[in-house]
């Protein structure tokens, strides 16, 4: 188990390095002069030179990468080109809003998707099973930003039930919760379908296992067999799906934040890209990638602990 953990952590660090190398390579592949885009066509050559030096773009790419990681190890992700504030401070101010949105959407998807998958198995072959299957595939096919736009038009503009933009008033939990409903639902809707289909597929395999047949022979109710014995094993692939899909959930949160004008990582990185504020872009990407890699590693270790077959492989 320890060897497996070390291997996964090492792979996660490699992913971080490769992502940042790709980001630095992309800086030089993007057409246009960063200083001209940021300062405008009327900027003097002296101002352009100072901005290039301030962002470190006058150095070789390999040196920029080495310096970035050397500073990152000490917690220094650079400074915002325009406000001169630390990038880590800017990211940490925006990150809670994005994480709250993403985790709320994930919680909603799990709370609805897992029971739907179990219900589909318990009613397999019936109209309820077919209806859940059709609805699951249908919501998977709809992008989150489309759901966000139409929910905004319906519930905020037409019915006026929920606020259209923003994250609610500071210190008012009820206002913040109301502002969270539509964005979280827009992200969660597709993942409800994914999770329901994954749970159903996994559960169908588990229901044929010997210990399930033994439980049935003792006359246990179907709901108890599904919830107590089958779900514990069938949920393992869903954990992998959720861990891998968390990156997609956070990226969806970025687009949804733009639709609902919510403060968060989405607004931060969008503003930084539009002004070629590369220190903010690099720092934000590093932190978000680190969060994604950490969750993936935690999910892998949890699976290794839950699944006896995985434990046996690494014990041997």
């Amino acid at each position: 188990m320890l060897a497996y953990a070390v291997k996964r952590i090492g792979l996660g660090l490699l992913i971080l390095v490769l992502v940042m190398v790709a980001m630095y390579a992309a800086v030089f592949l993007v057409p246009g002069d960063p200083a001209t885009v940021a300062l405008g066509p009327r900027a003097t050559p002296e101002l352009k030179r100072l901005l290039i030096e301030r962002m470190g773009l006058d150095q070789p790419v390999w040196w920029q990468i080495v310096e970035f990681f050397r500073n990152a190890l000490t917690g220094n992700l650079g400074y915002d080109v325009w406000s001169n504030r630390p990038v880590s401070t800017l990211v940490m101010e925006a990150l809670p809003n994005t994480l709250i949105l993403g985790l709320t959407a994930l919680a909603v998807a799990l709370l609805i998707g897992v029971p739907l998958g179990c219900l589909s198995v318990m009613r397999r072959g019936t109209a309820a099973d077919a209806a859940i299957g059709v609805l699951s595939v249908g919501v998977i096919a709809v992008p989150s930003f489309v759901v966000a736009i139409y929910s905004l038009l319906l519930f905020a503009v037409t019915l006026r039930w929920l606020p259209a933009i923003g994250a609610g008033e500071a210190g008012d939990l009820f206002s913040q919760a109301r502002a969270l409903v539509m964005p979280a639902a827009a992200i969660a809707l597709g993942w409800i379908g994914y999770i329901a289909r994954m749970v159903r597929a996994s559960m169908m395999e588990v229901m044929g296992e010997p210990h399930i047949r033994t439980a049935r022979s003792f006359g246990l109710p179907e709901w108890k067999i599904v919830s107590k014995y089958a779900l514990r094993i069938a949920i393992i692939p869903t954990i992998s799906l959720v861990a891998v899909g968390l990156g997609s959930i956070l990226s969806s949160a970025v687009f949804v934040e733009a639709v609902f004008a919510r403060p968060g990582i989405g607004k931060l990185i969008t503003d930084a890209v539009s002004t070629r504020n590369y220190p903010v872009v690099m720092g934000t990407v590093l932190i978000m990638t680190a969060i994604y890699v950490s969750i993936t590693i935690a999910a892998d270790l949890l699976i290794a602990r839950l699944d006896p077959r995985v434990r046996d492989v690494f014990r041997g």
Side-chain angles (χ1 to χ4, degrees):
M1 188 70 179
L2 179 60
Y4 178 65
V6 171
K7 179 181 177 181
R8 293 297 298 124
I9 292 172
L11 183 59
L13 293 175
L14 177 61
I15 291 172
L16 282 176
V17 173
L18 292 177
V19 167
M20 298 315 300
V21 170
M23 286 296 299
Y24 270 99
V27 168
F28 292 91
L29 293 176
V30 173
D33 178 21
T36 302
V37 173
L39 296 174
R42 296 186 179 181
T44 63
E46 181 65 19
L47 281 176
K48 293 181 181 179
R49 183 183 63 80
L50 289 174
L51 182 61
I52 291 291
E53 291 179 356
R54 186 169 185 177
M55 290 192 291
L57 299 179
D58 57 331
Q59 301 295 327
V61 179
W62 66 268
W63 179 252
Q64 294 181 42
I65 296 173
V66 170
E67 279 293 293
F68 178 82
F69 279 107
R70 185 178 67 83
N71 292 328
L73 289 175
T74 63
N76 178 15
L77 298 178
Y79 292 86
D80 186 334
V81 172
W82 307 114
S83 67
N84 203 34
R85 297 181 64 196
V87 172
S88 56
T89 301
L90 294 175
V91 174
M92 290 307 168
E93 287 177 354
L95 186 60
N97 286 326
T98 301
L99 287 180
I100 289 171
L101 176 57
L103 293 176
T104 301
L106 179 60
V108 171
L110 287 170
L111 289 174
I112 298 176
V114 172
L116 278 179
C118 294
L119 178 63
S120 183
V121 172
M122 294 172 63
R123 298 289 186 268
R124 55 188 175 276
T126 65
D129 182 22
I132 292 173
V134 171
L135 289 174
S136 298
V137 174
V139 296
I140 289 172
V142 183
S144 59
F145 67 88
V146 174
V147 179
I149 292 171
Y150 279 97
S151 63
L152 188 150
L153 292 174
L154 177 61
F155 295 108
V157 177
T158 304
L159 299 176
R160 299 182 182 274
W161 289 353
L162 296 168
I165 61 174
E169 298 178 7
D172 187 344
L173 293 179
F174 180 71
S175 173
Q176 293 173 1
R178 291 183 71 242
L180 191 61
V181 171
M182 284 195 296
I187 299 171
L189 189 63
W191 282 94
I192 291 172
Y194 275 120
I195 292 171
R197 299 308 295 166
M198 177 64 75
V199 170
R200 184 189 186 281
S202 302
M203 195 80 76
M204 290 297 291
E205 294 181 7
V206 174
M207 294 301 281
E209 295 290 331
H211 70 284
I212 299 297
R213 292 198 297 268
T214 302
R216 279 205 183 99
S217 68
F218 279 98
L220 293 178
E222 188 72 7
W223 67 267
K224 191 169 186 178
I225 293 173
V226 168
S227 61
K228 188 173 181 180
Y229 298 102
L231 185 59
R232 184 177 183 273
I233 299 174
I235 201 67
I236 292 174
T238 305
I239 295 174
S240 299
L241 173 70
V242 169
V244 173
L246 188 60
S248 176
I249 290 175
L250 292 177
S251 64
S252 298
V254 170
F255 289 107
V256 170
E257 283 175 348
V259 173
F260 291 101
R262 287 179 60 87
I265 293 296
K267 185 177 186 303
L268 179 66
I269 199 167
T270 301
D271 292 346
V273 169
S274 63
T275 59
R276 300 293 180 92
N277 195 341
Y278 290 125
V280 175
V281 174
M282 300 300 179
T284 304
V285 170
L286 177 65
I287 291 177
M288 296 304 291
T289 305
I291 291 173
Y292 172 67
V293 168
S294 300
I295 292 174
T296 304
I297 292 172
D300 288 342
L301 296 178
L302 179 60
I303 290 170
R305 184 171 183 82
L306 290 175
D307 193 341
R309 294 168 297 184
V310 176
R311 290 204 301 269
D312 292 341
V313 167
F314 289 96
R315 187 179 295 120

